[in-house]
Amino acid sequence: MTTTVATRTISHWLDNQEFAGTGERFAPVTNPATGQVTGQVALADTADAQRVIAAAKAAFPAWRDTSIAKRTQILFAFRELLNARKAELAEIITSEHGKMLSDALGEISRGQEVVEFACGIAHLLKGGMTENASTKVDVASIRQPLGPVGIIAPFNFPAMVPMWFFPIAIAAGNTVVLKPSEKVPTAAIWLAELWAEAGLPAGVFNVLQGDKTAVDELLTNKAIKSISFVGSTPIAEYVYATGTAHGKRVQALGGAKNHAIVLPDADLDLAADAMVNAGFGSAGERCMAISALVAVGDIADELVAKIKERTVGLVTGDGTRNADMGPLVTKAHRDRVKSYVDAGEAAGATVVVDGRGVRADGEADGFWLGPTLLDNVTTDMSVYTDEIFGPVLSVVRVDTYDEALDLINSNPYGNGTAIFTNDGGAARRFQNEVEVGMVGINVPIPVPTAYYSFGGWKNSLFGDTHAHGVEGVHFFTRGKVVTTRWQDPSQRGINLGFPQNN
């Protein structure tokens, strides 16, 4: 049962102000820790989407021609404001997503790393120049912005994931239309207000609230030059196919099934701590969460016992209280994750820690599911094959390193993976042989720092470019080469031969 405690409406944002739109559809916004509807978000119709996109298009020429020095000054101001007020944003995230306040603050800090990276973008935008490449001919390379760009963000990181993209896009001279998840819409408006306070000109950062109608307009509207997407693989495939069919650059980061191998020589206490942290943090609603533990050799019983010992003491509860893990984002998602646990048990998996009957430190109508540990999981079970996106850690037992490696490399996903070992040779072999985009060695969640790039392989990424870092700069710019010769009388004359450099 859900109840409504407020009637606030979260609207769109364009030209540095809220825009109610003309759409007549709305979706409820719910606090996952209470089950209460706290407001409603406007769902854009096509006209709303076109108006927001038009604002980004109109603002682009002036922002493109704004000096890099001025752009970075505004980014620095945004950084300072965010540092001073990030606790406000964390409270918004917790109220709509459900994650712990400390986790929300951590997400903001990781997003802020990309803002700081973008503050130094001048170095990455500078081109090259060759004097006298040919006689009295100079050649220079430059990088220029694309135009208005679209960002379609998921529910699990309302601040961090958009910040993987928009600081670099804005610093490079593009304008932005951000489409947040309708489950967590308020953080985007808060960020837009902060940009306006930092001095960003009207129309450079815009927010389009909505569902598939808004997404489809971003994917097909000619004014939008690129799409950055993070979400499930089926939708990532759709975004990539539709966006590229309409001539856009697309980086679509899809789903994941992240494995962690634990070798017999590993520090099992360190490994157990890491599995609990990586499996149950943010209620498992992370694309980099470890959901499959591959125990090699005869260590499985001891390792599972250590993980159980740590898991049974975790407190599930309201993210604003003194708990370890919050609720899932919606009741429907909670029920879906629970159904996977049911299916795993029915298929023969051993339920070592059962979160289905958790007694949470929160309201009875919250979307609760406690940390769940399943042992003796086999690769044909749905709890292994599917991306669950919840606090469910599955233990798969194998005899050898080669079996474990084959398990990972044969999986259709290739987002993140980890190995726990004290053997440097085994670790080096793993990082060379594993077919996954991000690898941790005794690090369970190998999310790279902002000056490296984030992204997976196989069905975890559609497109050629990863998020942030140098690849992010290249994604939001395009190269141009300029060849220059200043005329003098000695160079006059007709010559129809192919130009030669001499």
Side-chain angles (χ1 to χ4, degrees):
M1 175 180 175
T2 59
T3 57
T4 301
V5 297
T7 56
R8 67 187 179 99
T9 298
I10 302 97
S11 302
H12 317 288
W13 181 274
L14 63 84
D15 289 334
N16 280 358
Q17 60 187 344
E18 288 195 62
F19 165 56
T22 59
E24 298 179 350
R25 297 181 303 124
F26 299 88
V29 178
T30 306
N31 184 333
T34 65
Q36 295 175 323
V37 176
T38 58
Q40 62 180 4
V41 59
L43 300 179
D45 59 17
T46 300
D48 293 338
Q50 290 175 346
R51 183 165 173 182
V52 174
I53 292 169
K57 181 180 179 181
F60 172 65
W63 184 244
R64 173 196 59 201
D65 294 336
T66 300
S67 71
I68 295 177
K70 179 62 176 177
R71 286 186 226 149
T72 53
Q73 286 171 8
I74 293 172
L75 256 78
F76 271 109
F78 178 83
R79 175 193 180 276
E80 294 303 299
L81 288 169
L82 183 56
N83 275 343
R85 295 171 53 189
K86 59 187 177 182
E88 296 175 27
L89 181 56
E91 290 178 0
I92 290 170
I93 293 169
T94 294
S95 71
E96 293 183 349
H97 174 271
K99 66 178 63 177
M100 306 305 299
L101 275 172
S102 58
D103 201 16
L105 284 167
E107 135 175 21
I108 296 165
S109 296
R110 290 307 299 265
Q112 182 76 301
E113 291 179 9
V114 184
V115 178
E116 293 166 352
F117 171 77
C119 286
I121 203 168
H123 176 71
L124 294 169
L125 290 181
K126 69 181 183 181
M129 192 270 186
T130 301
E131 186 179 33
N132 262 359
S134 187
T135 303
K136 296 185 178 179
V137 173
D138 304 329
V139 180
S141 65
I142 57 179
R143 299 203 69 83
Q144 295 184 322
L146 305 177
V149 301
I151 300 169
I152 304 169
F155 73 81
N156 59 330
F157 288 104
M160 184 184 73
V161 167
M163 283 197 282
W164 282 352
F165 305 107
F166 67 65
I168 297 172
I170 290 171
N174 303 282
T175 55
V176 169
V177 177
L178 168 62
K179 209 298 286 185
S181 167
E182 59 271 29
K183 298 180 180 67
V184 289
T186 306
I189 298 298
W190 190 93
L191 289 165
E193 292 171 345
L194 207 70
W195 273 119
E197 188 175 342
L200 193 68
V204 177
F205 184 83
N206 309 277
V207 177
L208 177 62
Q209 307 284 8
D211 52 12
K212 189 174 185 296
T213 299
V215 169
D216 284 345
E217 187 61 33
L218 287 172
L219 295 177
T220 59
N221 192 297
K222 291 182 179 180
I224 298 295
K225 303 305 179 185
S226 74
I227 294 291
S228 301
F229 170 86
V230 178
S232 69
T233 288
I235 301 177
E237 290 180 294
Y238 173 79
V239 167
Y240 181 75
T242 307
T244 54
H246 287 82
K248 305 181 191 307
R249 288 187 178 184
V250 179
Q251 48 181 179
L253 284 66
K257 193 69 182 182
N258 302 318
H259 299 70
I261 294 176
V262 179
L263 296 185
D265 70 298
D267 181 326
L268 296 188
D269 286 307
L270 172 66
D273 289 342
M275 293 306 99
V276 172
N277 295 337
F280 307 133
S282 195
E285 293 173 329
R286 294 171 175 162
C287 67
M288 290 294 286
I290 293 296
S291 56
L293 162 60
V294 186
V296 179
D298 59 2
I299 61 168
D301 288 342
E302 182 181 359
L303 181 57
V304 168
K306 289 179 179 292
I307 296 172
K308 177 183 178 181
E309 178 185 3
R310 289 157 171 79
T311 302
V312 294
L314 297 177
V315 176
T316 301
D318 190 318
T320 63
R321 303 183 186 181
N322 188 27
D324 298 299
M325 191 188 85
L328 275 73
V329 68
T330 65
K331 181 179 184 297
H333 184 56
R334 188 273 313 277
D335 292 345
R336 175 181 175 274
V337 175
K338 178 179 176 295
S339 73
Y340 275 105
V341 180
D342 296 340
E345 183 178 33
T350 304
V351 182
V352 179
V353 180
D354 194 342
R356 290 171 291 186
V358 67
R359 298 186 61 170
D361 181 16
E363 299 297 324
D365 291 333
F367 310 139
W368 309 115
L369 181 70
T372 299
L373 177 63
L374 301 180
D375 194 8
N376 299 303
V377 172
T378 57
T379 56
D380 59 340
M381 295 179 183
S382 62
V383 73
Y384 173 80
T385 59
D386 296 359
E387 183 183 30
I388 298 175
F389 224 60
V392 180
L393 178 63
S394 299
V395 179
V396 181
R397 299 178 179 227
V398 299
D399 294 327
T400 67
Y401 164 86
D402 288 327
E403 286 182 75
L405 179 69
D406 182 65
L407 202 67
I408 298 173
N409 287 348
S410 61
N411 194 276
Y413 296 111
N415 201 46
T417 190
I419 188 170
F420 285 78
T421 180
N422 286 316
D423 185 335
R428 192 174 188 279
R429 179 184 171 190
F430 180 71
Q431 72 180 45
N432 178 57
E433 295 177 338
V434 73
E435 296 171 5
V436 173
M438 292 172 284
V439 180
I441 297 173
N442 297 321
V443 175
I445 306 177
V447 177
T449 52
Y451 42 88
Y452 286 89
S453 296
F454 178 102
W457 290 9
K458 299 185 284 190
N459 286 350
S460 294
L461 177 71
F462 299 87
D464 299 324
T465 308
H466 292 168
H468 59 69
V470 174
E471 289 190 56
V473 176
H474 285 183
F475 180 79
F476 287 116
T477 59
R478 53 186 172 184
K480 182 181 287 184
V481 178
V482 181
T483 303
T484 303
R485 179 177 67 186
W486 295 106
Q487 298 289 338
D488 65 52
S490 68
Q491 295 169 328
R492 292 175 181 162
I494 302 298
N495 184 347
L496 301 186
F498 191 85
Q500 299 182 44
N501 296 325
N502 52 45

